[in-house]
Amino acid sequence: MAPTLTPDTLTLKSRTSWDDAWQRCLAVAPEAFRDDRVLNLWGAAWQADGRPLPATSPVDGSPIAGPPRLDAATAGQAVRASLDQHRAWRHIALDERRARVAATLDALTRHRELLALLLVWEIGKPWRLAQADVDRAIDGVRWYVDGIEPMLQGRAPLDGPVSNIASWNYPMSVLVHAMLVQALAGNAVIAKTPTDGGVSCLTLACALAAREGIPVTLVSGSGGELSEALVRAPEIGCVSFVGGRDTGAAVATAVADLGKRHILEQEGLNTWGIWNYSDWDKLSAVIPKLFDYGKQRCTAYPRFVVQRSLFDEFLAAYLPAVRTIRIGHPLAVEQPGDPFPELDFGPLINAAKAKELTDQVTEAIDRGAVPLHRGSLADGRFLPGQDTSAYVPPVTLLGPPPSSPLHHAEPFGPVDTIVLVDTEAELLAAMNASNGALVATLSTDDPATYERLAPQIRAFKIGQGKPRSRGDREELFGGFGASWRGAFVGGELLVRAVTGGPGEERLPGNFPEYHLMP
């Protein structure tokens, strides 16, 4: 039997410290990084403006580079400068645009390991998932580069640049991916760095794109202060938002009032239903995978809705699987030259989120939820004496009370909740608890039952006994209810969402005046 790893047996993998990553950034893109800060990119130049905020890594609480926050007036200047870039770029021939985007992808590929290492330090992704985030961005955009002509047939760039406001969890495979496809389609692009993390990774990616002549703007600042420029400014041709429902609702109101093109991906409580089911080995195998990145994903499954008569069999499959989940410092190894550790997740995005989620769990239990599983940080892989305040071990609760946020909202952390039901009507009501979701899954042995119930589940993608993801390349993506507003994306729909078509076209999407499926 292998010896148990204690904190004293682990060390940081060689050449992976934050200082190592920072020095590599200074060497690769000196135009975008200074000794003590990152710069904003606007007006086709790197600007040493804005007020850099202090920031710490969720991995161990150590200092890292923070976002240089602009004021509203400067953000307005950046948007106006982006419009000038847009008016020039939209007339660049497609072959030239494609060549520049392809060159950007080649540069991202050369520096994929540095981009992944920045994701580890800035947002706490384990190495495997950090690399996957980078690779999905590169591979996804290459698919568009290779097949863009028919997608643009009869279409034209928008009248103004696309403004991107995205959450911190997927800086590359969601945000950079979208920006490069938007530029390929003939638009200048603007992005606001997420407040909670990813600024250095995005800065490096944008530096590599700007070198190839991609008209990209990257600015930092509070959403409230910059919204006038990034959402309401008349220069903006489209607003693309990924984030929570509260902020998304404010953006939705603004773009609806202005009649502005928009893509608003918002959270929902993605659910997994169990009804007349018996393939428990299949379910056990997938449970650890559902905890990837601590369920800090828009397509995570934090809620199981289980037929009461199957609850004992469900637990027999679920509990042994959840006990195998591996957490810890993403760069902690036994010997400096060892491979990166294989982990399901590391920290949450910050210590404040970890405390908020822990408090919600405690409150839910105090009000009647039954704790079925609670992991321990003592079982994790950590460096001697490191700060673990951003880490939360897996937790499973039965019956979260209606007064708890865990009953109706996505926890965005490694907390599973289970609701028991007795009838199909209760199953559907529990699976539709959040007025729309991005994904859902129904596990049942009877295909006819799946075919009958699945259309009544309000999720854009529904898996038959397996999880669904956001998707890549040609796969479409959207949401029902409050989980999505505006144009759907994925495949050619992403290109259609950021270009103009013939006449008064109705884009597939979820709009105040209509809902149109592809």
Side-chain angles (χ1 to χ4, degrees):
M1 181 180 295
T4 301
L5 289 177
T6 64
D8 292 336
T9 67
L10 298 180
T11 187
L12 191 70
K13 181 174 172 60
S14 62
R15 297 192 296 277
T16 64
S17 71
W18 171 255
D19 186 61
D20 289 327
W22 186 254
Q23 292 303 316
R24 289 168 65 183
C25 288
L26 290 172
V28 171
E31 70 272 28
F33 294 85
R34 296 285 168 85
D35 288 340
D36 60 345
R37 61 171 293 173
V38 299
L39 306 184
N40 288 298
L41 172 60
W42 62 272
W46 290 96
Q47 314 276 356
D49 51 12
R51 179 172 60 89
L53 291 185
T56 58
S57 170
V59 170
D60 62 1
S62 59
I64 59 174
R69 298 177 64 152
L70 295 181
D71 57 29
T74 308
Q77 293 179 46
V79 169
R80 289 188 289 275
S82 180
L83 178 61
D84 292 338
Q85 290 181 294
H86 180 83
R87 287 169 171 165
W89 178 254
R90 62 177 298 167
H91 297 297
I92 298 293
L94 176 58
D95 284 347
E96 177 66 18
R97 299 200 307 262
R98 182 165 50 192
R100 294 189 191 185
V101 172
T104 300
L105 298 178
D106 291 341
L108 293 174
T109 301
R110 288 193 298 272
H111 299 290
R112 64 186 288 269
E113 290 196 356
L114 176 54
L115 291 162
L117 184 58
L118 292 170
L119 290 180
V120 173
W121 280 110
E122 292 193 287
I123 62 175
K125 285 199 171 184
W127 182 250
R128 170 179 60 87
L129 300 177
Q131 282 196 308
D133 193 13
V134 177
D135 291 342
R136 284 181 65 186
I138 296 169
D139 296 342
V141 178
R142 281 199 198 282
W143 181 83
Y144 284 95
V145 168
D146 293 339
I148 190 66
E149 285 98 340
M151 300 184 203
L152 287 176
Q153 190 69 38
R155 306 193 67 80
L158 299 176
D159 291 335
V162 181
S163 176
N164 295 270
I165 303 169
S167 58
W168 43 264
N169 52 344
Y170 285 91
M172 293 295 297
S173 63
V174 173
L175 181 51
V176 170
H177 174 278
M179 292 166 64
L180 292 178
V181 175
Q182 293 159 7
L184 180 63
N187 302 289
V189 294
I190 305 169
K192 186 182 91 66
T193 61
T195 303
D196 288 319
V199 61
S200 295
C201 178
L202 286 169
T203 299
L204 178 58
C206 288
L208 299 175
R211 285 181 180 179
E212 303 301 335
I214 305 296
V216 57
T217 295
L218 182 68
V219 295
S220 295
S222 72
E225 189 164 10
L226 300 195
S227 63
E228 191 68 27
L230 300 184
V231 175
R232 294 180 172 274
E235 292 90 348
I236 298 295
C238 176
V239 176
S240 177
F241 170 88
V242 180
R245 289 193 178 185
D246 290 343
T247 304
V251 174
T253 299
V255 295
D257 290 345
L258 298 168
K260 196 182 294 291
R261 184 76 63 92
H262 58 283
I263 307 161
L264 309 182
E265 176 187 331
Q266 300 169 145
E267 63 191 17
L269 184 61
N270 305 317
T271 59
W272 192 303
I274 308 286
W275 189 261
N276 291 339
Y277 182 70
S278 62
D279 194 352
W280 300 112
D281 289 343
K282 180 179 179 181
L283 182 67
S284 291
V286 79
I287 293 298
K289 297 182 178 66
L290 300 182
F291 278 87
D292 271 358
Y293 194 35
K295 302 208 175 202
Q296 297 178 104
R297 299 178 291 120
C298 66
T299 54
Y301 286 83
R303 167 67 51 79
F304 287 91
V305 181
V306 181
Q307 189 175 5
R308 190 183 306 273
S309 60
L310 298 178
F311 185 47
D312 57 336
E313 296 176 79
F314 171 83
L315 282 185
Y318 176 91
L319 290 176
V322 79
R323 290 175 183 136
T324 68
I325 290 170
R326 304 153 299 180
I327 68 171
H329 189 305
L331 305 172
V333 294
E334 294 180 71
Q335 300 295 329
D338 285 351
F340 290 92
E342 287 292 331
L343 301 173
D344 295 295
F345 64 91
L348 300 193
I349 186 58
N350 53 47
K353 174 60 180 178
K355 182 180 185 306
E356 174 190 291
L357 191 57
T358 300
D359 289 347
Q360 288 178 355
V361 168
T362 300
E363 182 181 47
I365 294 172
D366 288 344
R367 295 184 179 182
V370 178
L372 299 176
H373 172 73
R374 281 190 280 192
S376 171
L377 292 185
D379 298 324
R381 298 172 55 97
F382 300 105
L383 299 180
Q386 78 157 83
D387 184 332
T388 60
S389 59
Y391 292 80
V392 175
V395 177
T396 306
L397 302 178
L398 172 65
S403 59
S404 169
L406 299 176
H407 178 80
H408 54 79
E410 183 180 11
F412 232 63
V415 177
D416 274 345
T417 57
I418 301 171
V419 173
L420 302 182
V421 296
D422 296 299
T423 67
E424 290 183 356
E426 289 179 308
L427 174 81
L428 292 170
M431 293 189 72
N432 293 329
S434 68
N435 183 26
L438 303 175
V439 297
T441 290
L442 178 61
S443 291
T444 180
D445 292 342
D446 181 20
T449 298
Y450 176 84
E451 294 298 329
R452 179 167 46 82
L453 296 180
Q456 301 178 67
I457 299 170
R458 288 179 57 76
F460 189 81
K461 293 183 179 181
I462 303 173
Q464 188 169 359
K466 61 183 180 181
R468 297 303 306 270
S469 69
R470 199 176 195 276
D472 293 303
R473 302 178 176 89
E474 70 273 10
E475 190 171 355
L476 309 181
F477 193 57
F480 283 161
S483 68
W484 195 281
R485 301 173 191 270
F488 295 147
V489 296
E492 70 167 317
L493 290 191
L494 175 53
V495 174
R496 290 177 64 184
V498 296
T499 55
E504 296 294 325
E505 68 172 345
R506 284 159 54 96
L507 294 174
N510 189 17
F511 296 92
E513 61 273 17
Y514 71 89
H515 180 93
L516 179 63
M517 289 297 292

PDB file of all heavy atoms in Angstrom, residues 374-399:
ATOM      1  N   ARG A 374     -19.738  14.687   3.742  1.00  0.00           N
ATOM      2  CA  ARG A 374     -18.934  15.889   3.909  1.00  0.00           C
ATOM      3  C   ARG A 374     -17.473  15.486   3.860  1.00  0.00           C
ATOM      4  O   ARG A 374     -16.988  14.757   4.717  1.00  0.00           O
ATOM      5  CB  ARG A 374     -19.260  16.598   5.230  1.00  0.00           C
ATOM      6  CG  ARG A 374     -20.530  17.425   5.148  1.00  0.00           C
ATOM      7  CD  ARG A 374     -20.748  18.319   6.349  1.00  0.00           C
ATOM      8  NE  ARG A 374     -21.308  17.595   7.473  1.00  0.00           N
ATOM      9  CZ  ARG A 374     -21.798  18.177   8.562  1.00  0.00           C
ATOM     10  NH1 ARG A 374     -21.759  19.491   8.674  1.00  0.00           N
ATOM     11  NH2 ARG A 374     -22.310  17.466   9.529  1.00  0.00           N
ATOM     12  N   GLY A 375     -16.783  15.927   2.797  1.00  0.00           N
ATOM     13  CA  GLY A 375     -15.364  15.642   2.684  1.00  0.00           C
ATOM     14  C   GLY A 375     -14.567  16.471   3.666  1.00  0.00           C
ATOM     15  O   GLY A 375     -15.096  17.319   4.387  1.00  0.00           O
ATOM     16  N   SER A 376     -13.267  16.234   3.688  1.00  0.00           N
ATOM     17  CA  SER A 376     -12.375  16.936   4.616  1.00  0.00           C
ATOM     18  C   SER A 376     -11.141  17.426   3.888  1.00  0.00           C
ATOM     19  O   SER A 376     -10.568  16.713   3.052  1.00  0.00           O
ATOM     20  CB  SER A 376     -11.964  15.993   5.756  1.00  0.00           C
ATOM     21  OG  SER A 376     -10.946  16.589   6.550  1.00  0.00           O
ATOM     22  N   LEU A 377     -10.728  18.650   4.217  1.00  0.00           N
ATOM     23  CA  LEU A 377      -9.476  19.153   3.649  1.00  0.00           C
ATOM     24  C   LEU A 377      -8.284  18.334   4.109  1.00  0.00           C
ATOM     25  O   LEU A 377      -7.229  18.349   3.461  1.00  0.00           O
ATOM     26  CB  LEU A 377      -9.282  20.622   4.031  1.00  0.00           C
ATOM     27  CG  LEU A 377     -10.254  21.634   3.428  1.00  0.00           C
ATOM     28  CD1 LEU A 377      -9.858  23.055   3.816  1.00  0.00           C
ATOM     29  CD2 LEU A 377     -10.332  21.499   1.905  1.00  0.00           C
ATOM     30  N   ALA A 378      -8.440  17.621   5.208  1.00  0.00           N
ATOM     31  CA  ALA A 378      -7.343  16.772   5.692  1.00  0.00           C
ATOM     32  C   ALA A 378      -6.995  15.682   4.683  1.00  0.00           C
ATOM     33  O   ALA A 378      -5.886  15.128   4.715  1.00  0.00           O
ATOM     34  CB  ALA A 378      -7.725  16.149   7.030  1.00  0.00           C
ATOM     35  N   ASP A 379      -7.919  15.373   3.790  1.00  0.00           N
ATOM     36  CA  ASP A 379      -7.664  14.352   2.773  1.00  0.00           C
ATOM     37  C   ASP A 379      -7.083  14.948   1.492  1.00  0.00           C
ATOM     38  O   ASP A 379      -6.824  14.209   0.534  1.00  0.00           O
ATOM     39  CB  ASP A 379      -8.967  13.616   2.438  1.00  0.00           C
ATOM     40  CG  ASP A 379      -9.548  12.889   3.640  1.00  0.00           C
ATOM     41  OD1 ASP A 379      -8.751  12.371   4.448  1.00  0.00           O
ATOM     42  OD2 ASP A 379     -10.788  12.859   3.761  1.00  0.00           O
ATOM     43  N   GLY A 380      -6.898  16.264   1.442  1.00  0.00           N
ATOM     44  CA  GLY A 380      -6.395  16.900   0.242  1.00  0.00           C
ATOM     45  C   GLY A 380      -4.881  16.935   0.177  1.00  0.00           C
ATOM     46  O   GLY A 380      -4.178  16.614   1.144  1.00  0.00           O
ATOM     47  N   ARG A 381      -4.361  17.347  -0.974  1.00  0.00           N
ATOM     48  CA  ARG A 381      -2.915  17.468  -1.211  1.00  0.00           C
ATOM     49  C   ARG A 381      -2.548  18.945  -1.115  1.00  0.00           C
ATOM     50  O   ARG A 381      -2.911  19.736  -1.987  1.00  0.00           O
ATOM     51  CB  ARG A 381      -2.549  16.938  -2.596  1.00  0.00           C
ATOM     52  CG  ARG A 381      -2.839  15.463  -2.820  1.00  0.00           C
ATOM     53  CD  ARG A 381      -2.620  15.118  -4.298  1.00  0.00           C
ATOM     54  NE  ARG A 381      -1.287  15.490  -4.749  1.00  0.00           N
ATOM     55  CZ  ARG A 381      -0.248  14.650  -4.820  1.00  0.00           C
ATOM     56  NH1 ARG A 381      -0.398  13.387  -4.449  1.00  0.00           N
ATOM     57  NH2 ARG A 381       0.937  15.057  -5.248  1.00  0.00           N
ATOM     58  N   PHE A 382      -1.814  19.297  -0.068  1.00  0.00           N
ATOM     59  CA  PHE A 382      -1.446  20.696   0.130  1.00  0.00           C
ATOM     60  C   PHE A 382       0.017  20.806   0.514  1.00  0.00           C
ATOM     61  O   PHE A 382       0.637  19.856   1.001  1.00  0.00           O
ATOM     62  CB  PHE A 382      -2.328  21.331   1.215  1.00  0.00           C
ATOM     63  CG  PHE A 382      -3.781  21.322   0.904  1.00  0.00           C
ATOM     64  CD1 PHE A 382      -4.637  20.440   1.531  1.00  0.00           C
ATOM     65  CD2 PHE A 382      -4.300  22.195  -0.046  1.00  0.00           C
ATOM     66  CE1 PHE A 382      -5.995  20.420   1.231  1.00  0.00           C
ATOM     67  CE2 PHE A 382      -5.648  22.187  -0.350  1.00  0.00           C
ATOM     68  CZ  PHE A 382      -6.499  21.292   0.289  1.00  0.00           C
ATOM     69  N   LEU A 383       0.570  22.005   0.277  1.00  0.00           N
ATOM     70  CA  LEU A 383       1.940  22.285   0.676  1.00  0.00           C
ATOM     71  C   LEU A 383       1.990  22.584   2.166  1.00  0.00           C
ATOM     72  O   LEU A 383       0.989  22.992   2.766  1.00  0.00           O
ATOM     73  CB  LEU A 383       2.482  23.477  -0.114  1.00  0.00           C
ATOM     74  CG  LEU A 383       2.548  23.308  -1.635  1.00  0.00           C
ATOM     75  CD1 LEU A 383       3.116  24.572  -2.268  1.00  0.00           C
ATOM     76  CD2 LEU A 383       3.371  22.099  -2.027  1.00  0.00           C
ATOM     77  N   PRO A 384       3.142  22.399   2.783  1.00  0.00           N
ATOM     78  CA  PRO A 384       3.261  22.671   4.228  1.00  0.00           C
ATOM     79  C   PRO A 384       2.882  24.113   4.560  1.00  0.00           C
ATOM     80  O   PRO A 384       3.420  25.066   3.991  1.00  0.00           O
ATOM     81  CB  PRO A 384       4.744  22.411   4.515  1.00  0.00           C
ATOM     82  CG  PRO A 384       5.191  21.488   3.443  1.00  0.00           C
ATOM     83  CD  PRO A 384       4.403  21.867   2.223  1.00  0.00           C
ATOM     84  N   GLY A 385       1.914  24.293   5.432  1.00  0.00           N
ATOM     85  CA  GLY A 385       1.548  25.602   5.934  1.00  0.00           C
ATOM     86  C   GLY A 385       0.836  26.511   4.966  1.00  0.00           C
ATOM     87  O   GLY A 385       0.637  27.701   5.258  1.00  0.00           O
ATOM     88  N   GLN A 386       0.415  26.009   3.817  1.00  0.00           N
ATOM     89  CA  GLN A 386      -0.195  26.902   2.829  1.00  0.00           C
ATOM     90  C   GLN A 386      -1.585  27.371   3.272  1.00  0.00           C
ATOM     91  O   GLN A 386      -2.276  26.707   4.047  1.00  0.00           O
ATOM     92  CB  GLN A 386      -0.295  26.218   1.464  1.00  0.00           C
ATOM     93  CG  GLN A 386      -1.451  25.226   1.346  1.00  0.00           C
ATOM     94  CD  GLN A 386      -1.868  24.983  -0.096  1.00  0.00           C
ATOM     95  OE1 GLN A 386      -1.254  24.166  -0.769  1.00  0.00           O
ATOM     96  NE2 GLN A 386      -2.894  25.679  -0.548  1.00  0.00           N
ATOM     97  N   ASP A 387      -2.001  28.509   2.752  1.00  0.00           N
ATOM     98  CA  ASP A 387      -3.339  29.039   2.975  1.00  0.00           C
ATOM     99  C   ASP A 387      -4.333  28.172   2.205  1.00  0.00           C
ATOM    100  O   ASP A 387      -4.219  28.002   0.993  1.00  0.00           O
ATOM    101  CB  ASP A 387      -3.381  30.483   2.470  1.00  0.00           C
ATOM    102  CG  ASP A 387      -4.700  31.193   2.743  1.00  0.00           C
ATOM    103  OD1 ASP A 387      -5.731  30.511   2.824  1.00  0.00           O
ATOM    104  OD2 ASP A 387      -4.686  32.428   2.859  1.00  0.00           O
ATOM    105  N   THR A 388      -5.326  27.617   2.900  1.00  0.00           N
ATOM    106  CA  THR A 388      -6.350  26.795   2.255  1.00  0.00           C
ATOM    107  C   THR A 388      -7.739  27.423   2.367  1.00  0.00           C
ATOM    108  O   THR A 388      -8.752  26.735   2.250  1.00  0.00           O
ATOM    109  CB  THR A 388      -6.375  25.380   2.867  1.00  0.00           C
ATOM    110  OG1 THR A 388      -6.667  25.478   4.267  1.00  0.00           O
ATOM    111  CG2 THR A 388      -5.048  24.664   2.666  1.00  0.00           C
ATOM    112  N   SER A 389      -7.796  28.733   2.580  1.00  0.00           N
ATOM    113  CA  SER A 389      -9.085  29.380   2.847  1.00  0.00           C
ATOM    114  C   SER A 389     -10.025  29.385   1.646  1.00  0.00           C
ATOM    115  O   SER A 389     -11.234  29.603   1.806  1.00  0.00           O
ATOM    116  CB  SER A 389      -8.871  30.814   3.339  1.00  0.00           C
ATOM    117  OG  SER A 389      -8.150  31.577   2.379  1.00  0.00           O
ATOM    118  N   ALA A 390      -9.518  29.147   0.425  1.00  0.00           N
ATOM    119  CA  ALA A 390     -10.374  29.129  -0.755  1.00  0.00           C
ATOM    120  C   ALA A 390     -10.835  27.719  -1.128  1.00  0.00           C
ATOM    121  O   ALA A 390     -11.504  27.546  -2.147  1.00  0.00           O
ATOM    122  CB  ALA A 390      -9.661  29.766  -1.942  1.00  0.00           C
ATOM    123  N   TYR A 391     -10.484  26.741  -0.326  1.00  0.00           N
ATOM    124  CA  TYR A 391     -10.808  25.345  -0.648  1.00  0.00           C
ATOM    125  C   TYR A 391     -12.051  24.890   0.115  1.00  0.00           C
ATOM    126  O   TYR A 391     -12.202  25.175   1.302  1.00  0.00           O
ATOM    127  CB  TYR A 391      -9.638  24.425  -0.302  1.00  0.00           C
ATOM    128  CG  TYR A 391      -8.419  24.631  -1.174  1.00  0.00           C
ATOM    129  CD1 TYR A 391      -7.539  25.690  -0.929  1.00  0.00           C
ATOM    130  CD2 TYR A 391      -8.128  23.772  -2.223  1.00  0.00           C
ATOM    131  CE1 TYR A 391      -6.413  25.887  -1.721  1.00  0.00           C
ATOM    132  CE2 TYR A 391      -7.002  23.965  -3.019  1.00  0.00           C
ATOM    133  CZ  TYR A 391      -6.159  25.013  -2.763  1.00  0.00           C
ATOM    134  OH  TYR A 391      -5.043  25.208  -3.540  1.00  0.00           O
ATOM    135  N   VAL A 392     -12.924  24.172  -0.585  1.00  0.00           N
ATOM    136  CA  VAL A 392     -14.115  23.576   0.025  1.00  0.00           C
ATOM    137  C   VAL A 392     -14.189  22.123  -0.429  1.00  0.00           C
ATOM    138  O   VAL A 392     -14.235  21.856  -1.636  1.00  0.00           O
ATOM    139  CB  VAL A 392     -15.401  24.315  -0.393  1.00  0.00           C
ATOM    140  CG1 VAL A 392     -16.637  23.600   0.158  1.00  0.00           C
ATOM    141  CG2 VAL A 392     -15.369  25.764   0.080  1.00  0.00           C
ATOM    142  N   PRO A 393     -14.198  21.175   0.480  1.00  0.00           N
ATOM    143  CA  PRO A 393     -14.308  19.765   0.076  1.00  0.00           C
ATOM    144  C   PRO A 393     -15.731  19.449  -0.376  1.00  0.00           C
ATOM    145  O   PRO A 393     -16.667  20.216  -0.092  1.00  0.00           O
ATOM    146  CB  PRO A 393     -13.942  19.008   1.354  1.00  0.00           C
ATOM    147  CG  PRO A 393     -14.317  19.932   2.460  1.00  0.00           C
ATOM    148  CD  PRO A 393     -14.072  21.320   1.940  1.00  0.00           C
ATOM    149  N   PRO A 394     -15.932  18.336  -1.078  1.00  0.00           N
ATOM    150  CA  PRO A 394     -17.270  17.991  -1.554  1.00  0.00           C
ATOM    151  C   PRO A 394     -18.274  17.821  -0.414  1.00  0.00           C
ATOM    152  O   PRO A 394     -17.946  17.303   0.656  1.00  0.00           O
ATOM    153  CB  PRO A 394     -17.055  16.656  -2.285  1.00  0.00           C
ATOM    154  CG  PRO A 394     -15.607  16.612  -2.596  1.00  0.00           C
ATOM    155  CD  PRO A 394     -14.919  17.352  -1.500  1.00  0.00           C
ATOM    156  N   VAL A 395     -19.490  18.275  -0.665  1.00  0.00           N
ATOM    157  CA  VAL A 395     -20.579  18.176   0.300  1.00  0.00           C
ATOM    158  C   VAL A 395     -21.824  17.701  -0.443  1.00  0.00           C
ATOM    159  O   VAL A 395     -22.075  18.132  -1.577  1.00  0.00           O
ATOM    160  CB  VAL A 395     -20.873  19.540   0.966  1.00  0.00           C
ATOM    161  CG1 VAL A 395     -22.068  19.439   1.908  1.00  0.00           C
ATOM    162  CG2 VAL A 395     -19.656  20.058   1.714  1.00  0.00           C
ATOM    163  N   THR A 396     -22.598  16.816   0.209  1.00  0.00           N
ATOM    164  CA  THR A 396     -23.858  16.361  -0.363  1.00  0.00           C
ATOM    165  C   THR A 396     -24.957  16.509   0.682  1.00  0.00           C
ATOM    166  O   THR A 396     -24.823  16.007   1.805  1.00  0.00           O
ATOM    167  CB  THR A 396     -23.773  14.891  -0.808  1.00  0.00           C
ATOM    168  OG1 THR A 396     -22.652  14.715  -1.684  1.00  0.00           O
ATOM    169  CG2 THR A 396     -25.052  14.481  -1.535  1.00  0.00           C
ATOM    170  N   LEU A 397     -26.038  17.184   0.312  1.00  0.00           N
ATOM    171  CA  LEU A 397     -27.147  17.442   1.225  1.00  0.00           C
ATOM    172  C   LEU A 397     -28.440  16.863   0.654  1.00  0.00           C
ATOM    173  O   LEU A 397     -28.728  17.014  -0.539  1.00  0.00           O
ATOM    174  CB  LEU A 397     -27.339  18.943   1.446  1.00  0.00           C
ATOM    175  CG  LEU A 397     -26.160  19.742   2.004  1.00  0.00           C
ATOM    176  CD1 LEU A 397     -26.543  21.209   2.113  1.00  0.00           C
ATOM    177  CD2 LEU A 397     -25.723  19.197   3.345  1.00  0.00           C
ATOM    178  N   LEU A 398     -29.210  16.240   1.524  1.00  0.00           N
ATOM    179  CA  LEU A 398     -30.535  15.764   1.167  1.00  0.00           C
ATOM    180  C   LEU A 398     -31.577  16.783   1.624  1.00  0.00           C
ATOM    181  O   LEU A 398     -31.581  17.212   2.777  1.00  0.00           O
ATOM    182  CB  LEU A 398     -30.807  14.417   1.841  1.00  0.00           C
ATOM    183  CG  LEU A 398     -32.236  13.866   1.711  1.00  0.00           C
ATOM    184  CD1 LEU A 398     -32.557  13.547   0.260  1.00  0.00           C
ATOM    185  CD2 LEU A 398     -32.406  12.630   2.604  1.00  0.00           C
ATOM    186  N   GLY A 399     -32.445  17.170   0.705  1.00  0.00           N
ATOM    187  CA  GLY A 399     -33.569  18.021   1.061  1.00  0.00           C
ATOM    188  C   GLY A 399     -33.206  19.403   1.532  1.00  0.00           C
ATOM    189  O   GLY A 399     -33.555  19.786   2.658  1.00  0.00           O
TER     190      GLY A 399
END
